[in-house]
């Protein structure tokens, strides 16, 4: 039995205990029995939803089944996380009973109130905030930047995860309009255009092909783009899925850079844009090769690197004197789709989870875009979808 499946069963058991506790307390404390019956009926419904969520395959089935599974899990969490909050406060209020004192009654309504706030916040993050857009303007000084590129503007977006939107193109259309209205000289996308399989992008192709910038639009692949999150009947099917993604990028006119580089020319000057395939820590597969992407990483040419997982910068570029790449653009973390007052749980896993970072001497810079889409849970609490615009300045 797989560990995630066992974890879901344990969660289901714990939630049954939670529901039983609430039911018994309502029976004891409320004169109106309708509340306890309502709790009983809603609990049965939620348990049924959880069973459906467990049964639906995570690594097989079509894109619709994954979308249904994702929303069922989210609805389930929005019901039970507030319940846990309320019960914790209620149990704390019951502690004095152990010493034959009265229950602290006022803690129970506080827990219920905080649970309601949590419920509303989660649905606000799903219905409203995940459809907003933040535009972050950043000036980046680069030593040796050619004169023609002083003031050059690059717009970055990342982690679109089109499959999470189903066939609804409204958000992606607004994203494309905003990108095109930023007066960027070039536009880059730093990976994860889909969740599991390439056909998720199909409804969005007519929209994405309108992305346009004078010096080109470029993209790399992220860990979700390779089909590794789906069980394929054969390797041939997986290769066909990959080819379908390549073909989709061709239809959009976005230049997919696969362990290669592109020269951007302006006047008599040029800079190199390097794109590596995914490089990251386990369990994410490594497909990229920085050395294969550019012939001499230590030369004097100004180079900008697109690398999906910021761990690559931490492991191979920061404080590495053999690599002359002053700016790396990444995505991947989503800030775990939660950021409050500049704090995100992503910091527990990623030392570089969002925003600008420098190595010891400031020679190498990294910017981590927290993404535009969602995966796993269709919610963003804080961590608003981001477009970043970099203005290059000569140092």
């Amino acid at each position: 039995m797989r560990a995630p499946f066992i974890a879901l069963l344990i969660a289901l058991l714990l939630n049954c205990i939670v529901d039983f506790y609430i039911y018994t307390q309502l029976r004891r404390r409320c004169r109106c029995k309708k509340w306890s019956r309502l709790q009983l009926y809603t609990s049965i419904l939620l348990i049924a939803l959880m069973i459906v969520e467990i049964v639906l395959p995570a690594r097989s089935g079509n894109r619709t089944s994954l979308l249904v599974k994702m929303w069922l899990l989210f609805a389930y969490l929005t019901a039970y996380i507030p319940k846990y909050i309320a019960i914790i406060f209620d149990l704390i209020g019951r502690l004095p009973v152990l010493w034959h004192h009265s229950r602290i009654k006022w803690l129970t309504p506080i827990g219920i109130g905080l649970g309601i706030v949590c419920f509303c916040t989660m649905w606000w993050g799903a219905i409203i905030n995940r459809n907003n857009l933040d535009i972050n303007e950043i000036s980046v000084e680069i030593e040796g930047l050619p004169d023609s590129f002083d003031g050059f503007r690059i717009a970055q977006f990342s982690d679109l995860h089109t499959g999470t939107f189903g066939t609804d193109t409204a958000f992606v259309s607004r994203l494309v309009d905003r990108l095109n209205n930023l007066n960027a000289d070039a536009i880059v996308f730093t990976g994860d255009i889909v969740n599991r399989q390439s056909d998720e992008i199909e409804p969005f192709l007519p929209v994405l092909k309108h992305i346009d910038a004078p010096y080109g639009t470029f993209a790399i692949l992220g860990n979700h783009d390779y089909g590794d999150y789906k069980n394929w009947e054969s390797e041939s099917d997986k290769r066909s899925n990959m080819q379908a993604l390549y073909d989709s990028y061709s239809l959009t006119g976005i230049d997919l850079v696969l362990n290669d580089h592109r020269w951007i020319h302006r006047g008599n000057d040029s800079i190199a844009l390097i794109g590596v395939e995914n490089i990251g820590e386990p369990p994410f597969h490594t497909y990229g090769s920085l050395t294969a992407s550019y012939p001499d990483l230590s030369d004097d040419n100004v180079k900008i690197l697109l690398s999906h997982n910021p761990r690559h910068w931490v492991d191979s570029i920061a404080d590495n004197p053999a690599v002359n790449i002053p700016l790396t653009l990444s995505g991947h973390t989503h800030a775990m789709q939660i950021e409050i007052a500049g704090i995100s749980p992503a910091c527990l896993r990623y030392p570089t989870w969002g925003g600008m970072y420098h190595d010891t001497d400031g020679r190498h810079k990294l910017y981590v875009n927290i993404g535009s889409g969602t995966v796993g849970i269709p919610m963003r609490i804080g961590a608003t979808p981001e477009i970043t615009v970099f203005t290059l300045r000569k140092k």
Side-chain angles (χ1 to χ4, degrees):
M1 217 180 253
R2 295 181 188 177
F5 184 74
I6 295 173
L8 285 172
L9 289 178
I10 293 172
L12 182 60
L13 176 61
L14 289 174
N15 291 340
C16 288
I17 295 172
V18 164
D19 284 329
F20 180 74
Y21 177 84
I22 295 174
Y23 175 76
T24 56
Q25 296 308 309
L26 287 172
R27 295 276 294 182
R28 290 175 184 173
R29 302 180 195 178
C30 297
R31 293 179 181 177
C32 179
K33 302 304 180 184
K34 289 182 179 179
W35 289 109
S36 59
R37 286 198 295 270
L38 178 62
Q39 163 65 14
L40 177 63
Y41 298 148
T42 56
S43 298
I44 293 172
L45 175 61
L46 286 167
I47 290 170
L49 289 178
M50 186 61 168
I51 292 172
V52 171
E53 199 279 335
I54 291 173
V55 170
L56 282 174
R59 298 179 66 89
S60 60
N62 57 31
R63 58 188 178 187
T64 303
S65 67
L66 181 65
L67 203 59
V68 171
K69 185 179 179 72
M70 178 183 66
W71 279 101
L72 283 177
L73 178 60
F74 178 69
Y76 194 77
L77 290 174
T78 60
Y80 278 96
I81 291 176
K83 287 184 180 183
Y84 274 95
I85 293 172
I87 285 177
I88 288 170
F89 275 79
D90 189 71
L91 289 174
I92 293 172
R94 287 171 60 85
L95 286 177
V97 176
L98 298 175
W99 293 275
H100 307 290
H101 296 290
S102 299
R103 179 172 63 90
I104 305 175
K105 295 182 178 180
W106 54 266
L107 280 175
T108 298
I110 288 178
I112 293 172
L114 290 174
I116 292 171
V117 169
C118 177
F119 177 87
C120 294
T121 299
M122 292 178 74
W123 280 102
W124 167 81
I127 296 172
I128 297 175
N129 194 55
R130 83 180 183 111
N131 293 308
N132 290 330
L133 271 173
D134 269 349
I135 310 297
N136 292 324
E137 295 263 0
I138 296 177
S139 180
V140 182
E141 290 188 342
I142 296 179
E143 190 170 347
L145 184 72
D147 292 337
S148 298
F149 283 89
D150 190 26
F152 192 84
R153 287 166 60 84
I154 300 173
Q156 178 198 11
F157 69 115
S158 191
D159 297 85
L160 191 52
H161 293 280
T162 51
T164 307
F165 299 102
T167 58
D168 183 0
T169 62
F171 173 80
V172 178
S173 295
R174 287 194 294 109
L175 174 72
V176 170
D177 289 342
R178 295 294 294 274
L179 283 167
N180 289 339
N181 290 329
L182 290 171
N183 298 318
D185 296 296
I187 296 173
V188 299
F189 175 71
T190 43
D192 280 359
I193 195 74
V194 297
N195 291 333
R196 282 194 320 181
Q197 56 198 63
S198 297
D199 65 357
E200 295 169 14
I201 197 178
E202 290 175 1
F204 304 91
L205 292 177
V207 178
L208 292 172
K209 72 178 182 180
H210 290 296
I211 297 178
D212 185 54
Y215 290 85
T217 59
F218 307 90
I220 57 172
L221 298 178
N223 53 292
H224 280 264
D225 295 325
Y226 296 92
D228 292 333
Y229 294 84
K230 182 178 173 68
N231 291 329
W232 300 95
E233 292 185 4
S234 67
E235 280 299 315
S236 175
D237 287 343
K238 187 177 181 181
R239 287 195 297 270
S240 296
N241 174 75
M242 205 67 241
Q243 186 59 51
L245 187 63
Y246 299 148
D247 294 341
S248 293
Y249 266 108
S250 297
L251 291 172
T252 65
I254 299 172
D255 185 359
L256 186 59
V257 188
L258 302 172
N259 290 333
D260 204 349
H261 63 280
R262 304 287 187 266
W263 290 102
I264 299 177
H265 302 281
R266 196 180 202 190
N268 295 323
D269 299 319
S270 59
I271 61 174
L273 185 71
I274 303 172
V276 297
E277 298 197 52
N278 192 61
I279 299 175
E281 78 285 5
F284 308 114
H285 295 292
T286 293
Y287 294 92
S289 171
L290 185 56
T291 55
S293 302
Y294 189 86
D296 183 3
L297 295 168
S298 63
D299 69 18
D300 292 332
N301 293 314
V302 170
K303 297 174 282 295
I304 296 173
L305 172 66
L306 309 182
S307 183
H308 178 69
N309 191 325
R311 183 79 67 174
H312 177 211
W313 181 85
V314 173
D315 292 341
S316 303
I317 298 169
D319 297 311
N320 185 348
V323 176
N324 180 27
I325 299 178
L327 179 62
T328 299
L329 306 182
S330 297
H332 183 62
T333 71
H334 298 215
M336 288 189 177
Q337 295 166 208
I338 300 174
E339 182 183 353
I340 300 173
I343 300 172
S344 168
C347 69
L348 299 175
R349 178 167 184 178
Y350 296 100
T352 52
W353 59 267
M356 184 68 80
Y357 300 88
H358 307 76
D359 62 356
T360 304
D361 61 6
R363 184 184 174 198
H364 305 96
K365 300 180 181 69
L366 166 72
Y367 190 88
V368 183
N369 181 292
I370 62 172
S372 304
T374 58
V375 68
I377 301 296
M379 169 198 79
R380 281 181 176 263
I381 297 176
T384 307
E386 176 183 13
I387 295 173
T388 318
V389 184
F390 304 93
T391 301
L392 306 185
R393 293 298 181 187
K394 187 172 184 176
K395 186 174 181 180

